[in-house]
Amino acid sequence: MAKVAFWALESLKVDTEFWLECWQQPVPGFHLDAVHPLLPACWARVSQPQHQQVLVPLCGKSIDMYWLQQQLPVLGIELAKRPCHEFFIENCLAVNTDLVDGFIAHRGETVCILQGDFFQLSAEQLQGPCLVYDRAALIALPKTMRQHYVRHLRQLLPAGSTILLLSLEYPPAEKQGPPFTVSAAEIRQLFAGCQLELLAIRNLTGQGFARRTFATSFLLEKAWRIQC
């Protein structure tokens, strides 16, 4: 068990360094300038009356949060400092900053981004049942870290929470991530015991993903509704 924990910590360290390096680029390859089309398309099928806020892990400065805050209060979790600042500046939103439970909290009227390690987030920092929006968190992580991520996420979420997960699939022999291919079988294994529904499939073959080109024989993006 100690050996497994050691490798998990090493993987987390490597992933942290990679994520921070991504934000040294002028515009990271995973960033989109427009709201992801699957978000408004799937919203009515994932939003429920008991949801108190939207949780966005590894949120970056995603414009999706601007769209989401028009629906529910948003809590984003982001490791890097730069996107926390740029989100509020680029969307012309007032922001205050303070320290809370080991995070730097960037607070707007309806969006709060906690700058820090997602794996240090506690259930007490959530405001009741959440709608989790995972556009590119799971697929940003290698397999061992995906297990750690989902385990922590499931421990965090209060009863009545729902996850809108966007996954990516391509032949693993044709490309190395990130973003990583995550099969339907792996998603069902990670979320064993939950109710899963495939909501939509986008065929991105030949189009690439976000700002990145993919020379793969197929490339599919899938939207999942997950209720645990």
Side-chain angles (χ1 to χ4, degrees):
M1 291 298 293
K3 185 176 182 180
V4 173
F6 171 78
W7 284 109
L9 289 171
E10 286 298 298
S11 297
L12 178 57
K13 179 180 177 182
V14 170
D15 188 72
T16 296
E17 293 171 352
F18 173 80
W19 188 255
L20 293 174
E21 287 174 4
C22 284
W23 283 106
Q24 298 303 313
Q25 304 170 22
V27 182
F30 50 78
H31 181 71
L32 294 173
D33 293 325
V35 174
H36 195 292
L38 288 178
L39 175 55
C42 296
W43 179 258
R45 299 178 66 181
V46 295
S47 177
Q48 297 178 16
Q50 74 271 18
H51 294 151
Q52 301 297 306
Q53 65 181 171
V54 183
L55 174 65
V56 188
L58 281 64
C59 64
K61 59 174 183 177
S62 173
I63 191 66
D64 292 348
M65 290 190 291
Y66 187 82
W67 187 92
L68 285 165
Q69 57 93 29
Q70 301 173 60
Q71 321 300 322
L72 285 170
V74 173
L75 178 64
I77 313 298
E78 172 54 46
L79 186 64
K81 177 180 179 179
R82 175 186 151 195
C84 297
H85 285 281
E86 291 185 353
F87 172 80
F88 291 96
I89 293 171
E90 293 174 3
N91 292 288
C92 301
L93 298 175
V95 60
N96 294 306
T97 303
D98 60 4
L99 297 175
V100 56
D101 298 329
F103 290 86
I104 301 174
H106 305 262
R107 301 182 189 275
E109 184 176 354
T110 52
V111 178
C112 176
I113 300 178
L114 296 182
Q115 180 190 335
D117 184 355
F118 169 77
F119 294 99
Q120 299 303 313
L121 188 68
S122 67
E124 290 72 27
Q125 291 167 287
L126 303 180
Q127 299 174 3
C130 299
L131 195 160
V132 179
Y133 176 55
D134 182 333
R135 181 186 78 82
L138 185 72
I139 62 175
L141 302 172
K143 189 168 185 177
T144 54
M145 285 305 304
R146 291 197 291 270
Q147 297 169 356
H148 186 38
Y149 166 78
V150 172
R151 186 183 309 116
H152 184 62
L153 181 63
R154 294 183 65 172
Q155 290 172 347
L156 283 175
L157 295 180
S161 297
T162 307
I163 302 169
L164 173 57
L165 170 69
L166 304 188
S167 66
L168 204 61
E169 291 186 27
Y170 56 82
E174 296 181 11
K175 185 189 181 305
Q176 291 186 338
F180 294 94
T181 181
V182 183
S183 68
E186 181 180 346
I187 290 172
R188 292 190 177 96
Q189 183 180 38
L190 288 170
F191 291 96
C194 301
Q195 297 177 0
L196 282 80
E197 180 184 2
L198 180 60
L199 300 179
I201 301 176
R202 294 177 74 209
N203 188 345
L204 301 179
T205 306
Q207 301 176 46
F209 174 77
R211 299 174 184 270
R212 297 175 176 174
T213 56
F214 275 61
T216 53
S217 54
F218 71 84
L219 180 64
L220 302 177
E221 187 173 39
K222 298 182 177 182
W224 299 85
R225 178 185 179 275
I226 304 172
Q227 191 87 40
C228 294

